[in-house]
Amino acid sequence: MKRILSIQSHVVFGCAGNSAAVFPMRRLGMEVWPINTVQFSNHTQYAAGWQGMAMPAGHISALCKGLGDIEVLGQCDAVLSGYLGSAEQGDEILAVVAAVKAANPAAIYFCDPVMGHPEKGCIVAPGVTRFLTEQALPVADIMAPNLLELETLCDTHLADLAQTRAAAHRLLAKGVQMVLVKHLGRAASQTGRFEMLLATQEGDYLVSRPLYEFARQPVGVGDLISALMLANLQAGFEAVAAFERTNAAVDAVLLRTWQADAYELQLIDAQSAFAEPIVEHRAERLA
């Protein structure tokens, strides 16, 4: 059994951060140790707002010390980080990553560089973007940005697939082993499809799935993608197979969510797709 330490946000109601990631990873057979960077009543894109707080400075470090005290850090196979409540939490996360890798040199760090999208109501604390660009990037083994986050990481505008591939390889050149671009958006090769890019030193791969017309776009899809990709890799699937399985499972969740006319991801209804996804769309190796 693989063990994943997942450090990201938590919502009491709905599916975002750990609330979108922990259950799917467990359904895939992972033992997940969640640490919450914030605890909110709901995600921040509800018009009525939200209640809750970011965890105080030292909270993550204290929990990690507790894990060290009971001598389980060496059992951790991967650290996953997502939404941060403050830039200071980033420093604590990197200390956790260092402690885990010291105890288990084979452990990996999967960084989902959540930078926010103010136009949609997703806001991150000051300094988080700088932390991700300057401190997390050099340490991460795998990064999973969306197109806007990749632009920020590379300080460039991306208009098409070729430019996006080049930007992903800039991250690979800095030591990242694998880059998953979770949503190509305007840089996609075709309209009317949701496309993702996987960039590795061995090659680049493109996969797509249907686009569903939601009255309100569900939140937490990126968190789900990162969690499933990491869990599939930890389950022993090679990168392209993990990529395809992740795409298939996310498609199943979004189809169920669309059929239910729901705003929150229908993870429980689609849970069989996490462990046994039906892969209909194969990844294309790009020239």
Side-chain angles (χ1 to χ4, degrees):
M1 180 182 294
K2 295 291 186 175
R3 297 170 175 87
I4 297 172
L5 180 59
S6 181
I7 310 175
Q8 49 188 314
S9 62
H10 169 77
V11 293
V12 176
F13 173 82
C15 302
N18 272 332
S19 300
V22 173
F23 171 67
M25 290 194 290
R26 286 175 172 165
R27 191 65 175 79
L28 250 167
M30 303 296 110
E31 181 177 309
V32 186
W33 306 344
I35 293 179
N36 300 328
T37 57
V38 305
Q39 178 155 296
F40 292 161
S41 56
N42 48 275
H43 69 66
T44 61
Q45 296 182 42
Y46 277 90
W50 73 96
Q51 298 294 323
M53 61 179 287
M55 295 297 106
H59 177 73
I60 295 172
S61 297
L63 294 177
C64 180
K65 182 182 183 303
L67 295 175
D69 289 345
I70 61 172
E71 300 181 348
V72 297
L73 289 180
Q75 300 174 22
C76 182
D77 299 288
V79 177
L80 169 63
S81 70
Y83 184 95
L84 304 183
S86 68
E88 292 74 19
Q89 288 181 342
D91 295 329
E92 294 184 61
I93 289 172
L94 293 191
V96 171
V97 171
V100 168
K101 289 194 171 191
N104 177 14
I108 64 169
Y109 174 34
F110 189 119
C111 177
D112 185 344
V114 180
M115 297 180 185
H117 198 313
E119 292 81 3
K120 292 183 177 180
C122 181
I123 302 168
V124 297
V128 167
T129 296
R130 183 174 180 179
F131 160 77
L132 292 167
T133 302
E134 297 181 2
Q135 295 175 257
L137 173 56
V139 177
D141 297 296
I142 304 174
M143 293 202 82
N146 60 30
L147 188 71
L148 297 177
E149 291 159 351
L150 181 60
E151 288 180 324
T152 301
L153 290 168
C154 294
D155 192 23
T156 188
H157 176 74
L158 303 173
D160 57 35
L161 182 58
Q163 292 177 355
T164 304
R165 292 176 66 187
H169 278 265
R170 287 174 60 182
L171 302 190
L172 296 178
K174 293 183 178 182
V176 180
Q177 299 172 15
M178 187 183 303
V179 178
L180 169 59
V181 186
K182 295 181 295 189
H183 184 197
L184 291 180
R186 75 175 103 84
S189 64
Q190 56 182 323
T191 59
R193 303 283 293 177
F194 187 104
E195 291 184 348
M196 298 193 297
L197 173 71
L198 178 68
T200 71
Q201 296 290 2
E202 292 72 38
D204 297 347
Y205 300 85
L206 186 71
V207 75
S208 70
R209 59 173 173 78
L211 271 176
Y212 302 102
E213 294 295 330
F214 290 96
R216 294 187 298 175
Q217 194 67 30
V219 171
V221 179
D223 305 324
L224 177 62
I225 291 171
S226 293
L228 287 171
M229 185 66 181
L230 176 57
N232 275 290
L233 290 169
Q234 290 296 303
F237 293 96
E238 55 88 22
V240 177
F243 188 44
E244 292 173 335
R245 287 171 57 89
T246 296
N247 185 60
V250 173
D251 180 47
V253 171
L254 287 173
L255 176 59
R256 298 288 181 88
T257 304
W258 178 71
Q259 290 172 335
D261 193 25
Y263 185 30
E264 296 288 352
L265 295 174
Q266 299 298 290
L267 300 183
I268 305 301
D269 195 27
Q271 63 179 286
S272 62
F274 302 142
E276 299 177 350
I278 300 173
V279 178
E280 298 178 347
H281 307 289
R282 295 293 176 181
E284 171 194 358
R285 181 171 181 138
L286 301 173

